[in-house]
């Protein structure tokens, strides 16, 4: 099965600020699901994301174990502040952890007058659980189910207003 999902958003910001918000754990822990992401920004470098205490507490309260590393991958291409290509795999769930690595591409384009277009392309070949996860859900009350659309919306809000969607 070959699936590619593309998400695009326009942000009133600079490529450098968007790049930092994606790759700097001080920034990326402030939006989306709040889990810091760490990048070795070189070809072949490591990517990983760690569980927050809130995630671990939720797991404990619901009788399951939360791994310290909740996502991992490898950097395939780095062109700051324009393009980042990496492999990506979610480890929080046994189903996604058993699937092959997927490929995630961030493209940042300076469009006009201080506005940038951020495009996320997620290639999800043979990874149906990942595809469902990152697509998100529109069901009311689906905690943590917003996928890439939620992450991008929260990133945009943070960069443009200084506040998260949930603040």
């Amino acid at each position: 099965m070959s699936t590619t999902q593309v998400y695009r958003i326009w942000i009133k910001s600079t490529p450098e600020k968007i790049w930092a918000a994606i790759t700097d754990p001080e920034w990326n822990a402030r939006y989306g699901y709040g889990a810091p992401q760490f990048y070795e920004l070189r070809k072949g470098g490591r990517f990983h994301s760690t569980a927050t205490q809130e995630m671990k507490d939720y797991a404990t309260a619901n009788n399951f174990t939360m791994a310290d590393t909740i996502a991992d991958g490898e950097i395939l291409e780095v062109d700051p502040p324009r393009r980042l290509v990496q492999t990506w795999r979610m480890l929080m769930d046994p189903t996604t952890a058993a699937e092959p690595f997927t490929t995630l591409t961030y493209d940042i384009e300076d469009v006009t007058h201080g506005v940038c277009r951020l495009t996320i392309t997620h290639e999800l070949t043979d990874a149906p659980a990942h595809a469902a996860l990152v697509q998100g859900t529109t069901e009311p009350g689906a905690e943590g189910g917003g996928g890439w659309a939620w992450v991008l919306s929260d990133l945009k809000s943070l960069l443009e207003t200084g506040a998260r969607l949930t603040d």
Side-chain angles (χ1 to χ4, degrees), residues 6 10 13 16 21 23 48 54 70 72 77-78 85 88 103 106 108 118 121 124 140:
V6 178
W10 283 259
S13 189
E16 293 79 12
T23 62
H48 72 284
E54 181 180 42
I70 58 171
D72 68 349
E77 182 182 336
V78 181
V85 183
W88 191 83
T103 302
Y106 296 89
I108 303 167
L118 171 59
T121 304
L124 296 143

Side-chain angles (χ1 to χ4, degrees), residues 2-74:
S2 179
T3 301
T4 300
Q5 294 181 22
V6 178
Y7 299 89
R8 186 170 291 118
I9 197 161
W10 283 259
I11 304 173
K12 189 169 186 136
S13 189
T14 65
E16 293 79 12
K17 287 181 182 176
I18 296 168
W19 180 266
I22 293 167
T23 62
D24 181 342
E26 295 289 325
W27 264 103
N28 60 41
R30 294 175 55 199
Y31 65 90
Y33 299 104
Q37 300 174 56
F38 302 89
Y39 291 87
E40 292 175 350
L41 291 172
R42 59 176 176 75
K43 187 174 180 172
R46 181 175 183 233
F47 158 78
H48 72 284
S49 181
T50 57
T52 64
Q53 189 58 51
E54 181 180 42
M55 290 173 173
K56 291 177 182 181
D57 292 346
Y58 178 84
T60 300
N62 288 280
N63 298 317
F64 68 92
T65 303
M66 176 71 62
D68 287 332
T69 300
I70 58 171
D72 68 349
E74 178 183 338

